Amino acid sequence: MRIITITCPECGTVVAANELESKRVMKCPGLDCEHVLRFDALDADAREHFLANRERYRL
């Protein structure tokens, strides 16, 4: 299993791919940050790996 995350380019908050995948588009959870994060912003390899192994990433 790989740890797949995305970092907000505005504030540096790290968000897990499983959280982002469940919503596909979400406001950054960082304090006072209004940046919108998208699952599609993950690189193609990370998206493919996550989707192929989704059951391993459940909380």
Side-chain angles (χ1 to χ4, degrees):
M1 180 163 74
R2 294 174 10 192
I3 297 173
I4 301 173
T5 61
I6 190 168
T7 303
C8 176
E10 296 293 319
C11 71
T13 298
V14 177
V15 178
N18 59 334
E19 182 69 19
L20 191 54
E21 189 273 336
S22 70
K23 297 176 182 168
R24 293 295 171 154
V25 175
M26 65 183 277
K27 183 183 138 329
C28 175
L31 293 175
D32 299 323
C33 185
E34 297 295 323
H35 190 77
V36 175
L37 300 172
R38 300 176 186 280
F39 184 71
D40 292 342
L42 290 169
D43 65 67
D45 180 57
R47 283 193 315 265
E48 289 174 20
H49 176 79
F50 180 82
L51 294 173
N53 298 286
R54 187 180 303 182
E55 70 282 347
R56 296 176 70 192
Y57 289 94
R58 298 223 188 265
L59 294 176

